[in-house]
Amino acid sequence: MTHLTLLPLLLALALLSACQSSSSSGGDDDSDDDSDTGADSDTDTDTDTDTDTDTDTDTDTDSDTDSDSDSDTESDTETAAECFEGDYLISNETEMGSLVPYTCINGNLTVETDTIVDLELPNLENVNGNLQFLASPMIESIDLTSLVQVEGDLEIDDLDGITNLLGFSSLETVSGDLLIENSNGIVSLEGLEDLVTVGGEVRFASITIQEADLPSLVSAGGIRWIGVDYITAFSFPLLSEISGDVDITWCDSLANLDGLGAVETIAGDFYLDDVSDLATVYLASLVEVGGDLFLDFEYAIEELSAPQLTDVGGDLKLVLTSIVDLDGLPNLESIDGALHVRYNNDMSSIQMDSLVSIGSNIWFDSNGLLPTCDIVDFLSGIDTVGGWICIRDNFADSCPDQEADCPV
């Protein structure tokens, strides 16, 4: 009886145990599904991470590239604009190479070398001082083709290996003197076609140059040529003003002065001495000479013609020439200094009908064909004479000499 009573209870417990076992098995399946889902989630996360990493890498690369490019550009610009500060001497290839990157030099640049054959400074644009080539016999070519301005003198001395100046083809301004001397290889100024201004003198001395053409030259501080025996002609067609002297001495082959045909003003002296092939001095446009007009020891000169000339600020001196008359000065009104006409053996007449004023002494001496009475008649038309008068040893006629004030 007791066993029958417990049987239903035991069956109930067995059934409950089976149900719990089944529930536990279903929970494991759910856990697996969740784990799969978590795995999917991890995969998505990995994908996102990879994408972000790629994007960041590309961005960094672009940034580095831009940064390098900007840095290079700025560096080049600074180098191109850089000036060398101070004076500089080039005596060898190493010193030349060190100056190559510079576009300007704030100081004097001197080239004095016995080793360099090709002088190359292709970047140099300005020399804010003197540029000198001294005793450099080995140089055969010069490359200064970017050079525009020299603030001081441009001096070429003892440079026999070059024949022209093509290496200076961009040069426009020389603020000081343009000096070429003792350089017997140079036969022309080819290469200086763009030169507009020379603030100092155009100076040649002891060179074998045959032609001197400066087609763009507008103004110069002076012209001084001494011992330039081979020059036959020159051309400065735009040169209208010379702010200093013109001095041409011992230029034996020069046949004319046509190169000065456009010059209207010479502020200083005009001086010719021993130019043995020059028969005519013709200055077509000259209006004023601020200093002396002096023709000395010029036996070859037969004619002086300056038809526009109105004023000589200093002395007018004609000494030892072959000039026949002075008809070529029809508009000359005043000589602020002295008038000296001496030892001109071919002069037979003197006519300067516009001349009314001579500021200092008058000296007619030893002009063998010039009648004394013609001199007296000429002087009677002068309104103002500021000094003494000497007339002696000219062609004798009825008029007496006036020797009281003559120099001994």
Side-chain angles (χ1 to χ4, degrees), residues 46-76:
D46 293 341
T47 302
D48 294 341
T49 301
D50 293 342
T51 302
D52 293 342
T53 301
D54 293 342
T55 303
D56 292 342
T57 302
D58 293 342
T59 301
D60 292 343
T61 301
D62 293 341
S63 177
D64 292 342
T65 301
D66 293 341
S67 177
D68 292 342
S69 175
D70 293 341
S71 178
D72 292 343
T73 301
E74 290 173 2
S75 176
D76 291 344

Side-chain angles (χ1 to χ4, degrees), residues 174-178 196-203 217-224 236 239-247 265-269:
V174 176
S175 298
D177 292 340
L178 171 61
V196 175
T197 302
V198 176
E201 294 182 335
V202 179
R203 296 173 57 188
L217 188 66
V218 173
S219 65
I223 295 174
R224 193 176 303 277
F236 303 157
L239 182 61
S240 60
E241 180 179 358
I242 298 174
S243 57
D245 300 334
V246 175
D247 181 354
T265 302
I266 299 172
D269 298 334

Side-chain angles (χ1 to χ4, degrees), residues 169-228:
S169 58
S170 296
L171 186 62
E172 297 178 0
T173 301
V174 176
S175 298
D177 292 340
L178 171 61
L179 171 60
I180 305 174
E181 62 181 356
N182 305 314
S183 299
N184 291 323
I186 299 176
V187 296
S188 78
L189 298 183
E190 184 181 8
L192 296 183
E193 287 82 5
D194 290 343
L195 185 62
V196 175
T197 302
V198 176
E201 294 182 335
V202 179
R203 296 173 57 188
F204 302 154
S206 302
I207 59 175
T208 57
I209 191 170
Q210 298 172 12
E211 296 180 355
D213 296 337
L214 295 173
S216 300
L217 188 66
V218 173
S219 65
I223 295 174
R224 193 176 303 277
W225 298 347
I226 300 175
V228 189

Side-chain angles (χ1 to χ4, degrees), residues 347-391:
M347 185 172 291
S348 59
S349 69
I350 178 169
Q351 291 182 347
M352 291 185 283
D353 294 339
S354 298
L355 186 63
V356 294
S357 174
I358 299 173
S360 185
N361 307 319
I362 298 174
W363 191 359
F364 282 86
D365 193 347
S366 303
N367 304 290
L369 298 179
L370 183 60
T372 301
C373 287
D374 285 2
I375 299 171
V376 173
D377 288 345
F378 162 72
L379 294 179
S380 66
I382 306 298
D383 295 336
T384 302
V385 176
W388 47 256
I389 297 175
C390 170
I391 304 173

Side-chain angles (χ1 to χ4, degrees), residues 55 89 110 123 128 160 162 179 221 324 348 370 387 400:
T55 303
L89 171 66
T110 302
N123 298 316
N128 296 316
D160 292 337
I162 62 172
L179 171 60
V324 175
S348 59
L370 183 60

Side-chain angles (χ1 to χ4, degrees), residues 9 16 32 38 64 165 173 176 189 233 258 329 337 351 353 397:
L9 179 60
L16 177 61
D32 291 341
D64 292 342
L165 301 175
T173 301
L189 298 183
D258 293 350
L329 301 174
Q351 291 182 347
D353 294 339
D397 55 16

Side-chain angles (χ1 to χ4, degrees), residues 87-102:
D87 297 341
Y88 197 89
L89 171 66
I90 294 177
S91 62
N92 54 52
E93 295 274 355
T94 301
E95 291 169 346
M96 179 179 70
S98 297
L99 195 62
V100 165
Y102 293 96

